[in-house]
mmCIF file of all heavy atoms in Angstrom:
data_model
loop_
_atom_site.group_PDB
_atom_site.id
_atom_site.type_symbol
_atom_site.label_atom_id
_atom_site.label_comp_id
_atom_site.label_asym_id
_atom_site.label_seq_id
_atom_site.Cartn_x
_atom_site.Cartn_y
_atom_site.Cartn_z
ATOM 1 N N ARG A 44 16.982 18.787 63.356
ATOM 2 C CA ARG A 44 18.393 18.788 64.010
ATOM 3 C C ARG A 44 18.819 20.220 64.167
ATOM 4 O O ARG A 44 20.015 20.514 63.877
ATOM 5 C CB ARG A 44 19.392 17.992 63.072
ATOM 6 C CG ARG A 44 19.092 16.546 62.893
ATOM 7 C CD ARG A 44 19.166 15.846 64.235
ATOM 8 N NE ARG A 44 19.121 14.347 64.034
ATOM 9 C CZ ARG A 44 18.049 13.696 63.823
ATOM 10 N NH1 ARG A 44 16.891 14.292 63.747
ATOM 11 N NH2 ARG A 44 18.085 12.381 63.656
ATOM 12 N N ALA A 45 17.978 21.070 64.639
ATOM 13 C CA ALA A 45 18.466 22.484 64.937
ATOM 14 C C ALA A 45 18.978 22.573 66.313
ATOM 15 O O ALA A 45 18.413 23.201 67.139
ATOM 16 C CB ALA A 45 17.191 23.337 64.743
ATOM 17 N N SER A 46 20.117 21.938 66.525
ATOM 18 C CA SER A 46 20.683 21.978 67.894
ATOM 19 C C SER A 46 21.854 22.909 67.859
ATOM 20 O O SER A 46 22.840 22.775 66.981
ATOM 21 C CB SER A 46 21.146 20.502 68.301
ATOM 22 O OG SER A 46 22.122 20.161 67.421
ATOM 23 N N ALA A 47 21.908 23.868 68.769
ATOM 24 C CA ALA A 47 23.091 24.763 68.851
ATOM 25 C C ALA A 47 24.185 23.884 69.443
ATOM 26 O O ALA A 47 24.146 23.683 70.676
ATOM 27 C CB ALA A 47 22.588 25.962 69.771
ATOM 28 N N ALA A 48 25.241 23.619 68.669
ATOM 29 C CA ALA A 48 26.229 22.684 69.258
ATOM 30 C C ALA A 48 27.275 23.501 70.000
ATOM 31 O O ALA A 48 28.505 23.459 69.558
ATOM 32 C CB ALA A 48 26.758 21.897 68.070
ATOM 33 N N GLU A 49 26.907 24.089 70.969
ATOM 34 C CA GLU A 49 27.938 24.884 71.781
ATOM 35 C C GLU A 49 28.697 23.914 72.665
ATOM 36 O O GLU A 49 28.404 22.802 72.899
ATOM 37 C CB GLU A 49 27.214 25.863 72.699
ATOM 38 C CG GLU A 49 25.700 26.192 72.406
ATOM 39 C CD GLU A 49 24.735 25.761 73.442
ATOM 40 O OE1 GLU A 49 25.066 26.039 74.626
ATOM 41 O OE2 GLU A 49 23.741 25.167 73.174
ATOM 42 N N LYS A 50 29.842 24.517 73.228
ATOM 43 C CA LYS A 50 30.574 23.826 74.224
ATOM 44 C C LYS A 50 29.834 23.775 75.548
ATOM 45 O O LYS A 50 29.311 24.843 75.996
ATOM 46 C CB LYS A 50 31.899 24.584 74.441
ATOM 47 C CG LYS A 50 32.961 24.289 73.359
ATOM 48 C CD LYS A 50 34.049 23.316 73.912
ATOM 49 C CE LYS A 50 34.881 22.722 72.664
ATOM 50 N NZ LYS A 50 35.837 21.769 73.101
ATOM 51 N N ARG A 51 29.767 22.628 76.063
ATOM 52 C CA ARG A 51 29.033 22.526 77.429
ATOM 53 C C ARG A 51 29.674 21.783 78.355
ATOM 54 O O ARG A 51 30.545 20.949 78.064
ATOM 55 C CB ARG A 51 27.687 21.913 77.045
ATOM 56 C CG ARG A 51 26.840 22.778 76.113
ATOM 57 C CD ARG A 51 25.419 22.335 75.996
ATOM 58 N NE ARG A 51 25.236 21.075 75.265
ATOM 59 C CZ ARG A 51 24.761 19.959 75.750
ATOM 60 N NH1 ARG A 51 24.365 19.912 77.077
ATOM 61 N NH2 ARG A 51 24.684 18.940 75.062
ATOM 62 N N PRO A 52 29.412 22.089 79.611
ATOM 63 C CA PRO A 52 30.074 21.326 80.748
ATOM 64 C C PRO A 52 29.395 19.963 80.846
ATOM 65 O O PRO A 52 28.595 19.628 80.159
ATOM 66 C CB PRO A 52 29.797 22.249 81.915
ATOM 67 C CG PRO A 52 28.416 22.899 81.572
ATOM 68 C CD PRO A 52 28.512 23.108 80.105
ATOM 69 N N GLY A 53 30.050 19.251 81.811
ATOM 70 C CA GLY A 53 29.437 17.901 82.027
ATOM 71 C C GLY A 53 30.160 16.866 81.251
ATOM 72 O O GLY A 53 30.977 17.123 80.335
ATOM 73 N N PRO A 54 29.896 15.630 81.650
ATOM 74 C CA PRO A 54 30.626 14.500 80.883
ATOM 75 C C PRO A 54 30.139 14.539 79.397
ATOM 76 O O PRO A 54 29.097 14.883 79.027
ATOM 77 C CB PRO A 54 30.070 13.303 81.599
ATOM 78 C CG PRO A 54 28.786 13.607 82.315
ATOM 79 C CD PRO A 54 28.957 15.120 82.573
ATOM 80 N N LYS A 55 31.032 14.006 78.571
ATOM 81 C CA LYS A 55 30.757 13.920 77.177
ATOM 82 C C LYS A 55 29.607 12.982 76.898
ATOM 83 O O LYS A 55 29.628 11.856 77.353
ATOM 84 C CB LYS A 55 32.026 13.520 76.409
ATOM 85 C CG LYS A 55 32.913 14.736 76.036
ATOM 86 C CD LYS A 55 34.244 14.322 75.585
ATOM 87 C CE LYS A 55 35.197 15.431 75.483
ATOM 88 N NZ LYS A 55 36.630 15.071 75.379
ATOM 89 N N PRO A 56 28.668 13.366 76.015
ATOM 90 C CA PRO A 56 27.577 12.457 75.760
ATOM 91 C C PRO A 56 28.106 11.196 75.054
ATOM 92 O O PRO A 56 28.842 11.199 74.156
ATOM 93 C CB PRO A 56 26.782 13.287 74.769
ATOM 94 C CG PRO A 56 27.205 14.647 74.866
ATOM 95 C CD PRO A 56 28.547 14.624 75.332
#
Side-chain angles (χ1 to χ4, degrees):
Chain A
R44 297 292 192 282
S46 61
E49 343 116 44
K50 281 255 164 183
R51 294 192 289 118
K55 276 171 190 159

